[in-house]
């Protein structure tokens, strides 16, 4: 046969172009669709029927309907279908879906919550037994002893939720402790197709481990003995051991989908939870495009406290997520417990490391050949799958860099290639922050400085033509570590990328190497080939910090049933501490420098002070609307968040500016447009929740280079619940800055009577525009 003619080639090319553009047109996205709830015509028996009729000209079907924290539905639409739907008179807006990711038992004692303490927060609140904490996560392993219901009465009468049974989750999975369990996967499956039931569980059962861990941190019962592979032996307990749990599974193998997350918020508030704990996050977007912010606003308006993890993007700045002011945003701190596993080099030097490896150790007093696989290329330096040459690593300890694959997975790669051990080194970005992992072979993690020292030693040994050798010495569990807490290296940092006048994170709580419940069907390393099993596991992340605050919020709500979510957050913020257990300022784990308000917010939570804060900064729904108006949100976009047609900004100017939201922390941002003198003011209102007759006096620590005045400088209260206002003026002079740069100075405003100390951080940021 001869060669094909040119005309054939052109026709083939045109056909391929046509099919590509057709595919582009049909490419679909899941949207969350807000509608005018009250506009439903009476001919439709339910809102779902009405919503489906809105999709009549499309091939789409309704994924979820929402009726409590949001009014509307979700559907998967092409751009043309989305445009057509948006033109309908009863449709307010379409929010494109984001895919979120998880932010992955000594902490109750470290926080001062001790069961033997008769007068503390736990005793005062009967351990929170009438409160319900809703955990939006990967589900739960109901068989864990952390969720037993010994000595618990019937669920509180207000509870309307239920236990959704499935083939691996019988109705008996729930009890008087775990009083609700649901799962939401329609959004996940709309994007990814039907889930593989052999790999994950279509039920509230946890096939990941994360949800079981977070739920038990918030409200796990007392379990003794508890440990992971022999580490951290002792009593395991959650923050509110008698609080009830309701779990809402929204996270699957491919992530956590907004349409499912919003359905979980809707269900949790309808069911009657008091607290929502969310250890999940994604990119920061304006609040009206953020399903978590929208769902959390509806929850907060219903009186539900929402705590969310700040994210694990630290130690870099501007990495904090879940930043809406109606959400309590929680960063992570270290605790006073450690798992040392040191590297001893052939030259006698020791490099500190950490590990919770629990199998057979290396031969005592023997040094093993040391190899850095990075000389074979990028993927081998990271010990990625199939990147190691067995001939060069067999019988040796392999040095691997952090990044790309999980830390435990690197160990499996080394083990499969015949290595006897692994040293995991931080890169410059990770700094000196160390996370202990349950490795599948003898392994430890060392900081960036230790990694550099290790490579220098190996380079020198190579030059001297002498073999580089090392061993790993596992030292078990060490308690009473000083200094603690530090801000965990991975904990996401401010400033707040969406609202710089709202300080985020709000607080930090224990989040490094936390022992909590674990499904007994899963390996503690998370590596599929690992056949070890444990009832508990040690994990790190702001995911672990968030449920500490969720449990504390339940205890505070039990002690003060009339407190709003904003009052609870205020109590946690104004009583937080910024000194460590050595009496010095709290340090940053990543570099051992003194940490700042953008690292820890107001500081580390202090439960026994939070129960009796003296004064609280309360916030109403109207205050949040004023804040959004003064943040230049349009009435339409505010309505998306508040569901309220009358999102009126006419009164917002009375509030002045967005920094006048009645937040317990104060943040001023000055743009230096050639001005020499700059000033702003904050108006704040405090509510007396301490003693009826009390006189509060003022202490100001002005940020360096600023002048701060407060009027009045005393607050005299005559009764409980009384509200008094004060005005804070901040004046500053321009400083020399290069274009696009900024400088941050911090101080505080403290109100105190003889019993209470109410501290507000004051942050002043000077920015030089480009």
């Amino acid at each position: 046969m001869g060669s094909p003619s040119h005309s054939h080639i052109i026709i083939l090319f045109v056909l391929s172009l046509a099919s590509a553009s057709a595919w582009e047109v049909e490419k679909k996205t899941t949207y969350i669709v807000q509608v005018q709830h009250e506009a439903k015509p009476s001919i439709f028996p339910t809102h779902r029927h009405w919503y489906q009729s809105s999709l009549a000209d499309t091939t789409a079907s309704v994924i979820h309907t929402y009726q409590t924290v949001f009014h509307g539905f979700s559907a998967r639409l092409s751009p043309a279908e989305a445009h057509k739907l948006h033109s309908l008179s009863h449709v307010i807006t379409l929010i494109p879906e984001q895919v979120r990711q998880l932010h992955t038992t000594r902490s109750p004692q470290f926080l001062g919550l001790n069961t033997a303490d008769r007068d503390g927060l736990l005793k005062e609140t009967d351990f929170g037994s009438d409160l319900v904490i809703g955990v939006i996560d990967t589900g739960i392993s109901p068989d864990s002893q952390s969720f037993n219901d010994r000595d618990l009465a019937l669920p509180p009468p207000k509870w309307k939720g239920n236990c959704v049974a499935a083939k691996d989750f019988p109705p008996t999975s729930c009890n008087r402790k775990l009083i609700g369990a649901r799962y939401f996967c329609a959004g996940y499956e709309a994007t990814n197709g039907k889930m593989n039931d052999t790999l994950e569980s279509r039920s509230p059962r946890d096939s990941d481990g994360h949800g079981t861990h977070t739920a038990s941190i918030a409200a796990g019962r007392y379990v003794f003995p508890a440990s992971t592979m022999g580490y951290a032996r002792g009593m395991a307990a959650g923050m509110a051991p008698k609080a009830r749990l309701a779990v809402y599974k929204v996270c699957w193998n491919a992530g956590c989908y907004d349409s499912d997350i919003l359905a979980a918020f809707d269900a949790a508030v309808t069911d009657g939870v008091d607290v929502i704990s969310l250890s999940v996050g994604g990119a920061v977007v304006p609040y009206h495009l953020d399903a978590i912010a929208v769902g959390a606003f509806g929850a907060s308006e219903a009186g539900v406290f929402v705590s969310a993890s700040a994210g694990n993007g630290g130690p870099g700045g501007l990495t904090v997520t879940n930043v809406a002011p109606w959400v309590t945003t929680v960063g992570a701190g270290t605790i006073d417990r450690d798992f040392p596993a040191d590297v001893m080099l052939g030259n006698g030097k020791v490099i500190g490391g950490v590990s919770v490896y629990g199998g057979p150790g290396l031969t005592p007093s023997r040094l093993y050949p040391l190899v850095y696989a990075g000389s074979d290329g990028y993927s081998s330096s990271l010990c990625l799958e199939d990147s190691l040459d067995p001939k060069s690593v067999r019988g040796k300890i392999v040095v691997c860099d952090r990044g790309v694959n999980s830390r435990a997975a690197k160990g499996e790669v080394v083990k499969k290639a015949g290595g006897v051990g692994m040293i995991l080194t931080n890169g410059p970005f990770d700094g000196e922050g160390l996370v202990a992992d349950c490795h599948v072979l003898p392994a430890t993690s060392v900081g960036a400085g230790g990694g550099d020292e290790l490579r220098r030693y190996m380079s020198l040994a190579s030059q001297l033509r002498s073999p580089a050798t090392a061993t790993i010495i596992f030292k078990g569990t060490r308690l009473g570590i000083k200094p603690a807490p530090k801000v965990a290296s991975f904990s996401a940092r401010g400033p707040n990328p969406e609202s710089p006048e709202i300080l985020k994170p709000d607080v930090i709580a224990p989040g490094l190497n936390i022992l909590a419940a674990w499904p007994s069907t899963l390996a503690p390393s998370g590596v599929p080939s690992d056949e070890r099993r444990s009832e508990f596991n040690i994990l790190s992340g702001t995911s672990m910090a968030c449920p500490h605050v969720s449990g504390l919020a339940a205890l505070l709500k039990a002690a003060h049933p009339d407190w709003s979510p904003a009052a609870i957050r205020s109590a946690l913020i104004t009583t937080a501490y910024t000194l460590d257990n050595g009496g010095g300022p709290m340090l940053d784990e990543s570099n051992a420098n003194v940490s700042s308000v953008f690292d820890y917010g107001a500081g580390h939570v202090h439960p026994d002070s939070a129960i009796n804060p003296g004064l609280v900064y309360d916030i109403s729904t109207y205050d949040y609307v004023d804040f959004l108006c003064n943040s230049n949100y349009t009435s339409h976009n505010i309505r998306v968040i508040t569901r309220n047609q009358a999102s009126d900004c006419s009164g917002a100017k009375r509030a002045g500016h967005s920094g006048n939201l009645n937040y317990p922390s104060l943040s001023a941002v000055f743009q230096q447009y050639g001005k020499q003198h700059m000033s702003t003011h904050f108006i704040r209102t405090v509510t007396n929740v301490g003693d009826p007759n009390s006189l509060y006096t003022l202490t100001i620590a002005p940020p360096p280079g600023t002048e701060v005045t407060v009027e009045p400088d005393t607050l005299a209260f005559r009764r409980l619940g009384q509200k008094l206002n004060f005005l804070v003026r901040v004046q500053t002079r321009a400083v020399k800055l290069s274009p696009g740069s900024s400088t941050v100075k911090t101080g505080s405003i403290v109100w105190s009577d003889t019993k209470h100390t109410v501290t507000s951080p004051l942050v002043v940021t000077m920015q030089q525009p480009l």
Side-chain angles (χ1 to χ4, degrees), residues 507-528:
V507 288
I508 62 168
L512 182 75
N513 300 334
I514 302 299
L515 179 80
W518 189 251
S520 55
T521 53
L522 298 179
S525 65
V527 172

Side-chain angles (χ1 to χ4, degrees), residues 548-565:
H548 279 91
V549 168
S550 311
L552 294 178
L555 295 179
L556 292 173
K557 182 79 174 169
H560 304 282
D562 57 331
W563 279 12
S564 69

Side-chain angles (χ1 to χ4, degrees), residues 473-627:
I473 302 160
F474 298 94
K475 296 183 171 179
T477 307
R478 201 170 52 164
L479 302 175
I481 298 295
K482 286 188 176 182
K486 299 177 191 171
V487 178
S489 180
F490 55 77
S491 186
R493 316 297 167 99
N496 183 333
E498 177 60 19
S499 304
E501 52 288 301
I502 302 295
L503 181 62
K504 293 284 179 173
D506 288 301
V507 288
I508 62 168
L512 182 75
N513 300 334
I514 302 299
L515 179 80
W518 189 251
S520 55
T521 53
L522 298 179
S525 65
V527 172
S529 65
D530 185 1
E531 292 180 357
R532 299 171 300 170
R533 297 293 180 263
S534 176
E535 297 273 324
F536 292 87
N537 202 0
I538 290 167
L539 298 183
S540 299
T542 54
S543 273
M544 284 65 247
C546 168
H548 279 91
V549 168
S550 311
L552 294 178
L555 295 179
L556 292 173
K557 182 79 174 169
H560 304 282
D562 57 331
W563 279 12
S564 69
I568 294 170
R569 178 173 58 247
S570 173
L572 291 166
I573 286 175
T574 62
T575 59
Y577 62 88
T578 58
L579 299 179
D580 61 33
N581 56 5
M586 200 156 33
L587 302 180
D588 183 340
E589 188 202 20
S590 71
N591 55 21
N593 292 338
V594 172
S595 52
S596 79
V597 287
F598 288 155
D599 304 330
Y600 54 64
H604 194 287
V605 289
H606 193 252
D608 281 343
S609 298
I611 194 173
N612 186 13
L615 305 175
V616 293
Y617 293 79
D618 211 349
I619 302 176
S620 71
T621 301
Y622 299 108
D623 296 329
Y624 288 127
V625 171
D626 284 349
F627 162 79

Side-chain angles (χ1 to χ4, degrees), residues 372-522:
Y372 175 52
S375 50
D376 293 341
Y378 176 69
S379 62
S380 51
S381 73
L382 294 162
C383 300
L384 302 183
E385 189 71 39
D386 299 324
S387 68
L388 299 182
D389 178 4
K391 289 198 287 292
S392 57
V393 305
R394 189 173 289 116
K396 298 175 183 174
I397 293 176
V398 182
V399 177
C400 302
D401 295 336
R402 264 179 77 171
V404 183
N405 56 343
S406 82
R407 298 180 299 270
K410 294 176 191 291
E412 186 187 33
V413 171
V414 171
K415 188 177 181 182
K416 271 188 358 199
V420 295
M422 175 180 73
I423 301 167
L424 196 55
T425 67
N426 280 359
F429 182 78
D430 303 302
E432 300 309 309
L434 298 180
V435 176
D437 292 298
C438 201
H439 291 288
V440 295
L441 85 171
T444 188
S445 293
V446 301
D452 290 344
E453 188 169 341
L454 197 60
R455 282 183 280 270
R456 276 197 301 272
Y457 162 69
M458 293 170 75
S459 171
L460 186 63
S462 162
Q463 288 167 29
L464 298 172
R465 296 211 163 85
S466 67
T469 58
T471 189
I472 303 169
I473 302 160
F474 298 94
K475 296 183 171 179
T477 307
R478 201 170 52 164
L479 302 175
I481 298 295
K482 286 188 176 182
K486 299 177 191 171
V487 178
S489 180
F490 55 77
S491 186
R493 316 297 167 99
N496 183 333
E498 177 60 19
S499 304
E501 52 288 301
I502 302 295
L503 181 62
K504 293 284 179 173
D506 288 301
V507 288
I508 62 168
L512 182 75
N513 300 334
I514 302 299
L515 179 80
W518 189 251
S520 55
T521 53
L522 298 179

